[in-house]
Amino acid sequence: MAIKFLHSFVAAVLSTITVLVNAQTSAPLQFAGVNIAGFDFGCGTDGTCSASGAVPPIFQLSGIDGAGQMQHFFDDGYNVFRLPVGWQYLTNDQMTGVLDETQFANYNTLVSDCLSTGAYCLIDIHNYARYNGQVIGQGGPSNEVFAELWSNIASYWKNETKVIFGVMNEPHDIPNISAWAESVQVCAPCPQSAVTAIREAGASTQMILLPGTDYASAKTFVSSGSADALGEVKNPDGTFTNLIMDVHKYLDYDGSGTNAECVTNGIDDTWTPLATWLRANGRQALNSETGGGNVESCINYLSQAISYQASQSDVILGYIGWAAGSFATNYVLSQVPSYSGTSWNDTLLVSMAMSPRTNKFVVTAA
């Protein structure tokens, strides 16, 4: 059994080496990062969250050293961290766009820790286009309330050029995709939309990520109608500048990101058609969630997927792994580094496939 495992491990190493050789013909990706989760804990996929369920990855609040994790990852060549947070956390369980001063200050500690590394910091409202089960602008919170939330968030970081605004995590089962695009922004301009609210708050140049339905699926981004609907979203000045498509892709058998084993690299059915649409329409996308178990199959397939993304770096900006932060190290998709003595030690998937220092696919990696 030990010999058989060694043979499999060597095969995985050789596969990764092949990918690294291929990197010589690929342009570098702009971004590689990790989700630093915890402020989103307590949120379900129906947008029901409890502020008390959060486990902030802030040492003073939970004993979780999110700042140390981010500095470690940054030193390994990562240059963006996605910082998920529940809407309810920011407003202290009130359906409003008004931020709770104490709760927001806690979250801002994490953002400040992120900015202090020199990395980009992605603000992610982790509510699945819902608040307590009701879809934004379609029976749930009004577009006005959603816009107010984003106006208040963007006002705080309007001068931070390395803050990225992620409009919403993983919308799904959206009754009307065109109505969702109106919540994001599809008129010129829409005073009651997230994009317009962000821009008019003074955040005029930062990236804004636009997610489609089906849990922001990269695979169905075009077929679901998300591409056509969100392709019409514009800045108040009528341009598409720094409006980036937000897509997710997991490589397990059902694409859910709940299984340790990976079964595909997603190139033929996901990344090739997506890259074709992006290029034809002059748009770009960021893969803001991807990952897998710390197993051989995921090392192989994620290495292949990242290599392909690098070959399409004119339209695919990069990837962000799920997840580190407050997760336990035995979480099935854990990318939480362990601390021993005076150093951090990466998970197998990070060290063998996702770290920019390993794969050499990211512009900032040494």
Side-chain angles (χ1 to χ4, degrees):
M1 183 63 71
I3 294 174
K4 186 175 182 179
F5 174 80
L6 180 61
H7 179 271
S8 297
F9 185 75
V10 170
V13 171
L14 292 175
S15 175
T16 301
I17 290 172
T18 300
V19 170
L20 296 180
V21 172
N22 290 340
Q24 297 175 4
T25 63
S26 299
L29 292 165
Q30 185 173 342
F31 293 114
V34 183
N35 281 268
I36 306 298
F39 276 107
D40 57 311
F41 286 12
C43 289
T45 59
D46 64 350
T48 299
C49 303
S50 171
S52 63
V55 182
I58 297 170
F59 190 81
Q60 304 95 303
L61 298 179
S62 67
I64 306 295
D65 189 5
Q69 291 183 29
M70 288 187 285
Q71 188 62 58
H72 161 71
F73 285 128
F74 184 80
D75 292 344
D76 275 351
Y78 286 95
N79 61 4
V80 61
F81 299 107
R82 184 171 181 252
L83 311 175
V85 62
W87 182 341
Q88 288 89 331
Y89 186 88
L90 293 176
T91 61
N92 202 19
D93 291 324
Q94 301 299 308
M95 194 182 76
T96 177
V98 177
L99 302 171
D100 180 88
E101 184 176 352
T102 299
Q103 302 289 82
F104 183 73
N106 289 340
Y107 181 66
N108 183 45
T109 297
L110 183 65
V111 179
S112 298
D113 288 341
C114 174
L115 289 169
S116 71
T117 68
Y120 284 82
C121 307
L122 201 173
I123 311 302
D124 163 52
I125 303 299
H126 214 77
N127 276 70
Y128 304 88
R130 289 161 167 77
Y131 191 102
N132 291 351
Q134 301 298 311
V135 177
I136 297 165
Q138 300 181 55
S142 67
N143 290 343
E144 293 95 328
V145 171
F146 189 46
E148 181 183 31
L149 176 72
W150 271 113
S151 178
N152 287 326
I153 291 171
S155 294
Y156 194 84
W157 289 299
K158 63 184 179 182
N159 296 319
E160 291 286 355
T161 59
K162 287 193 171 182
V163 166
I164 301 170
F165 300 107
V167 167
M168 180 58 59
N169 176 68
E170 293 192 343
H172 64 89
D173 300 292
I174 301 300
N176 186 325
I177 190 63
S178 296
W180 168 242
E182 290 177 8
S183 297
V184 174
Q185 192 269 350
V186 78
C187 43
C190 290
Q192 300 165 355
S193 68
V195 167
T196 299
I198 291 167
R199 293 301 188 220
E200 293 189 346
S204 59
T205 61
Q206 292 96 324
M207 290 184 183
I208 302 176
L209 302 190
L210 313 178
T213 192
D214 199 15
Y215 296 91
S217 170
K219 182 177 181 179
T220 64
F221 186 73
V222 176
S223 63
S224 68
S226 296
D228 287 342
L230 294 173
E232 297 298 318
V233 175
K234 298 177 181 179
N235 292 305
D237 64 3
T239 69
F240 300 114
T241 304
N242 278 338
L243 299 182
I244 308 300
M245 303 306 174
D246 186 5
V247 297
H248 293 179
K249 179 62 178 176
Y250 290 99
L251 306 180
D252 49 352
Y253 78 93
D254 58 0
S256 66
T258 59
N259 304 283
E261 294 289 343
C262 296
V263 300
T264 179
N265 55 30
I267 292 172
D268 291 340
D269 66 0
T270 300
W271 297 116
T272 297
L274 178 60
T276 298
W277 183 90
L278 292 167
R279 196 169 289 114
N281 289 274
R283 306 304 295 268
Q284 295 176 313
L286 177 63
N287 181 195
S288 67
E289 273 191 32
T290 192
N294 289 290
V295 294
E296 175 190 334
S297 62
C298 293
I299 292 170
N300 288 336
Y301 284 126
L302 270 164
S303 293
Q304 294 162 21
I306 293 169
S307 176
Y308 182 79
Q309 290 173 17
S311 75
Q312 309 294 312
S313 61
D314 59 317
V315 293
I316 299 175
L317 298 181
Y319 62 90
I320 305 179
W322 184 268
S326 298
F327 278 112
T329 55
N330 63 354
Y331 166 55
V332 65
L333 300 188
S334 175
Q335 295 184 22
V336 179
S338 58
Y339 191 78
S340 177
T342 59
S343 63
W344 292 91
N345 299 298
D346 284 318
T347 64
L348 184 64
L349 185 66
V350 168
S351 63
M352 293 292 291
M354 301 196 74
S355 171
R357 181 167 289 180
T358 297
N359 63 44
K360 309 296 183 186
F361 286 134
V362 183
V363 67
T364 56

